[in-house]
Amino acid sequence: MRPRTLSGRYARTAYLFLTPAILFFAAFFYLPIGNVVATSFRTGPQADQWTGLGNYTQALADPAVRHSFLITVAFSVLVVIGSIVLGLGLALALDQPLKGRVAFRVLLLVPYLTSVAIVGLLWRNILDPELGVLNRVLGTLGLPEQQWLNTAPLLTIAAVTLWQNVGYTMVLFLAGLQGIPETYHEAAKIDGADAWHRFWRITLPLLAPTTLFVSVMAVISGLQAFGQAYIITNGGPGDATDLSVFHIFNVAFRARDFGYSSAQSVLLLIVIVAFTLVQLRAGRRGEVTY
């Protein structure tokens, strides 16, 4: 009986310490999600009229919803590929015995610690076609000025997102690189493997868990992106950067249709969960293959 008694005491103590976190998540995460789901079945300015699945069928047939979702997917693909390639490249470079590498790591991480609002305002001022710093520099050098926010707006906000997040991705890959035993590389050198083959045969396979985590987080972040489109481009020009969350925001707070926006939010949540599960399953298969 004594082990069971001790186990029960430990369990009660654990739940006691977990209670604040459980209450926090219940109040600020689970209850709001439940409220959004309940609101998605209603319509009207006050979301007080029952409509059943009407909002969902309308959202699935709405061309504007499909357009914003496709734009968001394209944005996410750019962010995921850029995060993996740039993050891994910087991690490989800063894993070498270079002078000042600690300072470079800190400088690359600073944008990630800055809020999206500040980053958005900073780059909006830099890229402004008339008053922007970047066009002034080009003019000083005798080069033609560019319409940065009109020529390729989706690529522009994806680049800004990468600039902000690549430091965090770099830290993750750097931690993964430093967790690879050096004996693996030494054995490969003895067998005559060059740096390229060591990277493909040792480094990249052993970084599979880190790559999976980075890709999952980048997909979730990309599908939930809002501040970049709201602050830098305001969804424009036209609807070229009308990301899903920005579209939901407009439906809720500008069109004042909370039921319809809640239905779109639930559909987006389902898509994010589905993408995450597919990535995790594919990642597990990849680990088994390695």
Side-chain angles (χ1 to χ4, degrees):
M1 295 297 295
R2 183 174 177 79
R4 292 185 178 181
T5 303
L6 290 176
S7 177
R9 291 178 179 175
Y10 289 145
R12 287 193 294 271
T13 303
Y15 282 119
L16 179 63
F17 282 105
L18 287 173
T19 298
I22 294 174
L23 293 176
F24 176 83
F25 278 101
F28 297 102
F29 187 75
Y30 296 113
L31 288 180
I33 288 180
N35 183 55
V36 169
V37 173
T39 306
S40 68
F41 297 106
R42 300 180 179 276
T43 188
Q46 303 298 325
D48 54 357
Q49 302 173 17
W50 179 261
T51 186
L53 297 176
N55 288 325
Y56 289 95
T57 55
Q58 180 183 351
L60 293 175
D62 192 344
V65 174
R66 290 198 299 268
H67 175 74
S68 66
F69 176 71
L70 292 176
I71 289 177
T72 305
V73 170
F75 173 82
S76 300
V77 169
L78 292 173
V79 171
V80 171
I81 295 175
S83 297
I84 294 175
V85 174
L86 293 178
L88 180 56
L90 289 171
L92 289 170
L94 294 178
D95 193 38
Q96 306 302 316
L98 302 174
K99 290 184 179 180
R101 60 178 180 175
V102 176
F104 281 112
R105 293 174 186 175
V106 173
L107 289 175
L108 288 170
L109 193 59
V110 167
Y112 177 76
L113 303 176
T114 309
S115 70
V116 176
I118 295 176
V119 170
L121 290 172
L122 172 67
W123 279 99
R124 189 179 70 180
N125 291 330
I126 292 175
L127 300 174
D128 187 273
E130 297 180 359
L131 303 176
V133 176
L134 192 53
N135 272 344
R136 289 187 180 183
V137 173
L138 292 177
T140 303
L141 298 175
L143 298 174
E145 298 181 352
Q146 303 295 324
Q147 297 290 327
W148 302 103
L149 301 179
N150 296 325
T151 305
L154 189 65
L155 185 61
T156 299
I157 63 173
V160 172
T161 303
L162 286 173
W163 177 83
Q164 182 179 13
N165 296 333
V166 72
Y168 174 66
T169 307
M170 177 266 299
V171 170
L172 293 175
F173 277 118
L174 192 60
L177 289 172
Q178 294 178 351
I180 299 176
E182 188 62 30
T183 53
Y184 293 173
H185 292 280
E186 293 174 355
K189 288 180 182 179
I190 294 174
D191 290 338
D194 57 15
W196 182 253
H197 284 88
R198 292 198 305 272
F199 172 76
W200 281 104
R201 300 292 183 178
I202 298 175
T203 303
L204 200 58
L206 293 177
L207 283 177
T210 304
T211 305
L212 175 63
F213 179 78
V214 169
S215 63
V216 169
M217 296 304 295
V219 167
I220 294 174
S221 176
L223 293 176
Q224 292 181 329
F226 169 75
Q228 299 88 336
Y230 180 71
I231 297 174
I232 300 176
T233 62
N234 196 28
D239 56 359
T241 56
D242 187 24
L243 302 179
S244 291
V245 177
F246 181 74
H247 183 79
I248 293 170
F249 169 83
N250 286 331
V251 172
F253 297 102
R254 292 177 180 173
R256 308 296 294 179
D257 195 342
F258 295 104
Y260 190 37
S261 64
S262 296
Q264 293 182 40
S265 299
V266 174
L267 291 174
L268 181 61
L269 174 62
I270 293 173
V271 170
I272 292 174
V273 172
F275 268 106
T276 303
L277 293 177
V278 169
Q279 285 181 282
L280 292 176
R281 189 168 184 177
R284 292 194 186 101
R285 288 182 179 178
E287 290 178 9
V288 172
T289 303
Y290 287 132

